[in-house]
Amino acid sequence: MADKSNKDNKVIKRVVTALVLLALTFAILAFLQKLLMPKYQKGVIEGSFTEEYYKEKVPHDVIIFGDCDAYESYSPVKMYQEYGISAYIRGSGEQYINQTYYLLKDVLRTETPKVVVVSIHNMQHDVPRNEAYNRMTLDGMRWSRDKVDAINSSMVEGETFASYVFPILRYHDRWSQLTRTDFEHVFSKNITSHNGYYMRCDIKPQGKLPPPTPLLTYKFGDNAMAYLDKIRVLCEENGIELILVRAPIEFGWYEQWDQNIEEYAAQYGLTYINFCDYSEEMGLDMTVDTYDAGVHLNIYGAEKLSVFFGQYLVDNYNLTDYRNVPEVAAEYEKDIQFYNEMRDDQLYEIATYGELKSYGANAIEN
């Protein structure tokens, strides 16, 4: 009887030991995976934008989607200060239109905005074309059916679904690139955006833009149009007003593309705002309102656009003035403080060094 009991104890010990070793192995692999994944805290900071949305503590009447033309053109903090609008930008680097659709579905899991704004700049790409940009948009999404569908609709040649489930398969060779930032932010990251807005306070005037290279066709791709339709229908089903917008940027765009969007908007009774048509009205001056010679707006241009667009929103939609909602106003006061601190710090760097040294000015991820 004693022998049987001893054998049973030995079996139990072996099982417990095996389970402990297995758990320890998974813990080590999980740690290594988090360590090796890019942190996007410096350099290419827009890689953090997708996941930062999940830290929000307030409702949003307006959600803006798109690529750099979205997250560098609108300042939700400025919209709140001027009009009490609660807005958020779910933007990411070269966000493709299929990804916009799944990010919108992701938003609808937790809130239903009154207005959805889609930057049409990303319509120029019919299908995803860059794995690095896919990662910056998709890695930060919370797991759900929408993330699964977003990955499956985005993968380019050489990508595998398994590498999204287990990112260590993708980033296992980052050992030589690890920096202090990787170790400091293994389990937590700093907020790098302002409700999804990427702030730049430096100035580089726009010069004479070269004429765009003619294209064989100016028709948007079938896949891009299909996902724009999906976005439109999803907004209709949820009682959301859909606005299509183009940032006031002349670089890399074609008038024929505008005509395509104008026709689509007219067909379905949508609002399309080409902000290039209102540059003078909003007081935009591309000798001071851009940080990279007219490719993107800086804080001065983004604030001018935000004041102009904010006025349009409050004039045409029944939006809540959240300055009168104490619990929301308290959170926005923190946002305003963070916004002002970053602006002042950037201005200090520019005054001290003659240029911006950090906050994404250094494009090397570290």
Side-chain angles (χ1 to χ4, degrees):
M1 195 73 171
D3 289 342
K4 185 178 185 304
S5 178
N6 288 335
K7 287 181 181 179
D8 289 344
N9 288 337
K10 287 180 180 179
V11 170
I12 292 172
K13 287 180 180 179
R14 290 192 188 116
V15 171
V16 170
T17 300
L19 291 174
V20 169
L21 289 175
L22 187 62
L24 185 60
T25 300
F26 277 118
I28 292 172
L29 288 174
F31 171 79
L32 292 176
Q33 179 166 278
K34 283 185 171 292
L35 176 64
L36 291 170
M37 289 183 69
K39 307 304 182 293
Y40 303 116
Q41 295 291 284
K42 299 178 181 179
V44 189
I45 62 174
E46 53 264 49
S48 284
F49 291 176
T50 297
E51 63 188 288
E52 288 182 3
Y53 169 76
Y54 303 113
K55 298 180 181 180
E56 281 291 287
K57 299 177 181 179
V58 300
H60 307 98
D61 277 358
V62 180
I63 304 283
I64 303 170
F65 294 89
D67 56 12
C68 53
D69 268 26
Y71 64 75
E72 299 196 50
S73 297
Y74 308 90
S75 170
V77 169
K78 188 66 174 179
M79 288 185 180
Y80 172 80
Q81 287 179 301
E82 294 290 326
Y83 307 106
I85 296 171
S86 182
Y88 198 94
I89 305 171
R90 290 221 70 180
S92 53
E94 201 164 290
Q95 183 182 113
Y96 304 108
I97 192 68
N98 64 300
Q99 296 167 354
T100 296
Y101 171 68
Y102 291 112
L103 286 169
L104 172 56
K105 293 189 72 177
D106 184 60
V107 164
L108 294 177
R109 289 178 174 274
T110 55
E111 63 175 333
T112 303
K114 296 177 180 178
V115 178
V116 159
V117 180
V118 174
S119 170
I120 49 87
H121 188 256
N122 55 7
M123 286 293 294
Q124 63 186 286
H125 306 301
D126 188 42
V127 295
R129 59 176 188 165
N130 188 296
E131 186 261 358
Y133 283 120
N134 281 348
R135 291 287 173 175
M136 285 194 284
T137 299
L138 302 175
D139 278 344
M141 284 185 73
R142 283 181 176 170
W143 279 103
S144 68
R145 182 69 213 182
D146 299 323
K147 177 167 180 171
V148 171
D149 291 341
I151 293 170
N152 283 328
S153 69
S154 298
M155 286 188 293
V156 298
E157 185 177 356
E159 288 192 90
T160 64
F161 186 82
S163 69
Y164 283 92
V165 179
F166 304 106
I168 194 170
L169 298 175
R170 168 62 179 83
Y171 299 115
H172 62 88
D173 58 352
R174 281 195 73 240
W175 288 107
S176 61
Q177 302 172 31
L178 292 179
T179 67
R180 180 178 177 180
T181 300
D182 286 295
F183 290 93
E184 289 177 342
H185 297 284
V186 174
F187 299 110
S188 64
K189 295 182 183 179
N190 296 330
I191 296 293
T192 59
S193 74
H194 303 273
N195 287 43
Y197 166 61
Y198 171 41
M199 179 188 291
R200 288 291 293 265
C201 296
D202 41 339
I203 298 173
K204 183 178 181 180
Q206 175 180 298
K208 185 176 180 180
L209 296 175
T213 304
L215 302 179
L216 294 176
T217 178
Y218 297 94
K219 180 183 176 182
F220 292 128
D222 291 342
N223 188 66
M225 291 303 300
Y227 273 101
L228 183 59
D229 264 339
K230 287 175 178 285
I231 292 168
R232 174 182 59 80
V233 171
L234 186 59
C235 287
E236 289 176 357
E237 291 174 345
N238 286 274
I240 300 170
E241 297 286 348
L242 175 61
I243 303 176
L244 307 178
V245 296
R246 175 189 165 193
I249 301 295
E250 300 288 352
F251 181 81
W253 194 255
Y254 297 88
E255 291 183 4
Q256 294 91 333
W257 287 350
D258 277 321
Q259 294 171 6
N260 293 341
I261 295 296
E262 288 169 0
E263 291 173 4
Y264 182 86
Q267 180 180 357
Y268 292 104
L270 301 178
T271 297
Y272 171 50
I273 306 175
N274 179 355
F275 286 111
C276 289
D277 296 338
Y278 301 95
S279 293
E280 185 174 346
E281 190 172 342
M282 70 179 73
L284 203 65
D285 180 355
M286 295 303 277
T287 65
V288 294
D289 291 334
T290 172
Y291 72 87
D292 54 3
V295 182
H296 304 99
L297 298 179
N298 59 20
I299 188 173
Y300 311 109
E303 288 191 346
K304 290 176 182 178
L305 175 53
S306 299
V307 170
F308 182 84
F309 188 34
Q311 186 65 65
Y312 173 85
L313 290 171
V314 297
D315 286 347
N316 290 276
Y317 303 96
N318 182 28
L319 304 184
T320 301
D321 186 342
Y322 280 99
R323 293 172 297 186
N324 301 322
V325 182
E327 60 272 21
V328 175
E331 291 298 324
Y332 267 98
E333 286 305 311
K334 299 175 187 176
D335 294 340
I336 293 169
Q337 181 179 354
F338 176 48
Y339 187 90
N340 291 339
E341 287 174 351
M342 184 180 288
R343 179 201 60 208
D344 294 345
D345 197 39
Q346 288 197 24
L347 293 176
Y348 173 79
E349 279 194 6
I350 294 167
T352 302
Y353 305 109
E355 62 179 347
L356 192 62
K357 293 283 189 179
S358 54
Y359 295 103
N362 176 6
I364 299 175
E365 173 58 33
N366 50 18

